[in-house]
Amino acid sequence: MDKTYFDQPTVEVAKRLLGQLLVHRSPEGLTSGIIVETEAYLGLNDPASHAYRGQTPRNSPMFGPGGHAYVYFTYGMHYCFNVVTDYPGEAVLIRALEPVEGISLMKARRELDDLNRLCKGPACVVKAMGITKEYNGISLAGEPLTIESTDVMPPISISKRIGISKAIDEPLRFYISGNPFVSKLKASRK
DNA sequence: TTATGGATTAGCT
DNA sequence: GCTAATCCATAAA
């Protein structure tokens, strides 16, 4: 994963992350999964983005350098994980993974035995991978959390984003066509 | 200082 | 399909 990867437009990064491998080397063990579903959040131009109203203490990682993590807490109980791009306030939400390594550890963290649902949904990804708020703002260029390039060029489907109340019609969700680990088969709700 | 609502999930109807 | 669970950043006063 070279540095120039994240200077692409955020939508482009969101597409290119599909098929890549997210790897976490934790004290408990290694877990990894193929990114199968992402959403783009376009900062100052996007009412649905946390960065829409400008930089705040919470969203400041999104205004930092590309290739860093933005981890935020929401709904009183869940964390979500984003990859920041070089564009100020913009980031890509990782919505789902296809588990590859450390599946038994993921199952333990999730207290769930269902492989298909282990990393299905942004909060599930965070929990299964063992990502915490301590990762907010760190670089993904090396340990302990990183993204490894693969040569695969998966077929990509596009839909509206999920779970938001503003700019709900923007086609900014991307997923690997037909992949059973994608969180929602249908496009958007509400 | 107080109020609001959220880039969700799981479980029940 | 509907809703409870449950914290906290941001907005409003």
Side-chain angles (χ1 to χ4, degrees):
Chain A
M1 191 60 56
D2 57 74
K3 290 179 181 178
T4 63
Y5 193 89
F6 298 101
D7 65 7
Q8 305 290 319
T10 301
V11 168
E12 191 62 26
V13 174
K15 292 182 192 171
R16 289 177 56 176
L17 282 173
L18 295 174
Q20 314 286 347
L21 194 67
L22 179 64
V23 182
H24 183 204
R25 295 177 177 85
S26 78
E28 310 158 278
L30 184 149
T31 47
S32 70
I34 296 169
I35 297 170
V36 299
E37 181 181 356
T38 62
E39 280 181 7
Y41 284 86
L42 306 182
L44 301 171
N45 304 311
D46 180 3
S49 170
H50 290 166
Y52 182 54
R53 298 164 197 274
Q55 185 169 353
T56 67
R58 181 201 199 193
N59 66 28
S60 62
M62 287 205 284
F63 290 86
H68 284 217
Y70 170 47
V71 180
Y72 68 88
F73 183 68
T74 191
Y75 288 108
M77 59 185 76
H78 298 301
Y79 289 94
C80 294
F81 168 69
N82 297 251
V83 178
V84 176
T85 68
D86 279 341
Y87 289 71
E90 305 197 357
V92 177
L93 173 70
I94 306 302
R95 286 196 56 90
L97 304 178
E98 176 176 334
V100 175
E101 298 168 275
I103 290 175
S104 60
L105 178 54
M106 290 187 191
K107 287 181 176 178
R109 285 172 174 152
R110 290 269 285 130
E111 299 179 330
L112 174 75
D113 204 41
D114 184 346
L115 175 66
N116 179 259
R117 286 167 40 198
L118 264 190
C119 300
K120 179 172 287 190
C124 297
V125 169
V126 167
K127 189 171 183 185
M129 291 294 286
I131 295 169
T132 71
K133 60 184 179 183
E134 310 303 320
Y135 290 80
N136 190 35
I138 69 165
S139 169
L140 301 175
E143 308 297 325
L145 186 63
T146 193
I147 296 172
E148 295 183 1
S149 294
T150 62
D151 292 328
V152 294
M153 289 290 287
I156 297 173
S157 294
I158 301 176
S159 80
K160 299 174 184 178
R161 290 178 292 186
I162 292 177
I164 56 175
S165 60
K166 300 164 189 167
I168 60 175
D169 291 329
E170 298 299 318
L172 294 174
R173 172 177 176 243
F174 309 94
Y175 57 95
I176 297 180
S177 307
N179 187 290
F181 295 92
V182 171
S183 69
K184 294 275 199 284
L185 297 174
K186 294 181 181 177
S188 84
R189 51 194 175 194
K190 290 186 181 176

